[in-house]
Amino acid sequence: QVQLVESGGGVVQPGGSLRLSCAASGFTFSDYGVHWVRQAPGKGLEWVAFIRYDGSNKYYADSVKGRFTISRDNSKNTLYLQMNGLRAEDTAVYYCAKTSGQPYYFDYWGQGTLVTVSS
Amino acid sequence: QTVVTQEPSLTVSPGGTVTLTCASSTGAVTSGNYPNWFQQKPGQAPRTLIYSTSNKHSWTPARFSGSLLGGKAALTLSGVQPEDEAEYYCLLYYGGAQLQCVFGGGTKLTVL
């Protein structure tokens, strides 16, 4: 069965860095694009970034552009989110979400990993 | 900055029918926005119910349906069950040179 397992969350100081991972299993990871989506405590969902199946194209929300980098290692079935210059407003649960082909065909989600930016 | 708007809250009786909507600040929502709908219960990850306006996944209950209605995306629940009480989010896709996906603020559905 399809599984997406996020990891790498934790507490980091403002201005710091963190790298999140999303380990995929149960499907051919290299065939599908994947999103990162976040949710601040008690708030709604916010789209963060998308990467195509082969890593050829990457897209970002304006709120993270220039600070976050999405990448993937298809040999390891893993998606990454490198987060630099973290701010308090980046505090959220970060989810990876798989697509079934095109970027607008969402299907499976992971359970999320919590990132807290605080001094 | 594109804004996607949903009703903040709705209440429906068990067995009833309710429609949630999703509007775009850029104008009418079209099939080219490929609306997706997600359900999220407290303490859980979101679950995709509908993709590309009206397509269901294998796990989507038959009582959920998606459509375009009056320039908005719509999610209709027919024969609402108590377990449908949840937060519902829509997402719209904005293509072009810079792909953007924008979530609505969510609708808290209460079954009462």
Side-chain angles (χ1 to χ4, degrees), chain B residues 16 18 38-39 47 54 60 71 75 80 83 85 87 89 99 102 104-106 108:
Chain B
V18 65
F38 308 92
Q39 178 191 63
R47 178 174 74 143
S54 58
T60 304
L75 177 69
V80 172
E83 61 265 29
E85 182 162 298
E87 193 84 26
Y89 294 93
L99 180 158
V102 183
K108 169 60 179 172

Side-chain angles (χ1 to χ4, degrees), chain B residues 47-71:
Chain B
R47 178 174 74 143
T48 308
L49 294 175
I50 300 288
Y51 65 97
S52 192
T53 305
S54 58
N55 293 280
K56 300 180 187 182
H57 286 294
S58 59
W59 55 81
T60 304
R63 60 185 179 274
F64 290 86
S65 63
S67 64
L68 295 177
L69 203 60

Side-chain angles (χ1 to χ4, degrees), chain B:
Chain B
Q1 182 83 344
T2 302
V3 177
V4 175
T5 302
Q6 300 181 242
E7 298 86 0
S9 63
L10 291 170
T11 300
V12 62
S13 300
T17 296
V18 65
T19 297
L20 289 63
T21 68
C22 176
S24 172
S25 63
T26 64
V29 176
T30 71
S31 57
N33 294 118
Y34 301 97
N36 282 247
W37 289 93
F38 308 92
Q39 178 191 63
Q40 187 179 34
K41 296 183 178 180
Q44 295 184 15
R47 178 174 74 143
T48 308
L49 294 175
I50 300 288
Y51 65 97
S52 192
T53 305
S54 58
N55 293 280
K56 300 180 187 182
H57 286 294
S58 59
W59 55 81
T60 304
R63 60 185 179 274
F64 290 86
S65 63
S67 64
L68 295 177
L69 203 60
K72 300 178 183 181
L75 177 69
T76 300
L77 288 71
S78 305
V80 172
Q81 302 296 307
E83 61 265 29
D84 297 333
E85 182 162 298
E87 193 84 26
Y88 291 85
Y89 294 93
C90 69
L91 175 139
L92 299 180
Y93 167 86
Y94 297 88
Q98 278 304 318
L99 180 158
Q100 290 285 306
C101 294
V102 183
F103 282 94
T107 296
K108 169 60 179 172
L109 182 67
T110 301
V111 181
L112 208 55

Side-chain angles (χ1 to χ4, degrees), chain A residues 22-77:
Chain A
C22 170
S25 61
F27 65 102
T28 305
F29 180 68
S30 57
D31 282 351
Y32 300 101
V34 194
H35 294 269
W36 283 103
V37 175
R38 68 184 181 183
Q39 186 170 36
K43 302 296 185 182
L45 301 173
E46 180 186 13
W47 176 74
V48 173
F50 173 76
I51 186 169
R52 292 201 184 273
Y53 69 100
D54 59 357
S56 59
N57 294 96
K58 307 170 185 180
Y59 305 93
Y60 300 91
D62 289 343
S63 59
V64 306
K65 202 173 293 184
R67 300 188 299 124
F68 290 12
T69 302
I70 189 171
S71 63
R72 64 191 297 160
D73 186 337
N74 286 344
S75 69
K76 295 182 178 179
N77 292 337

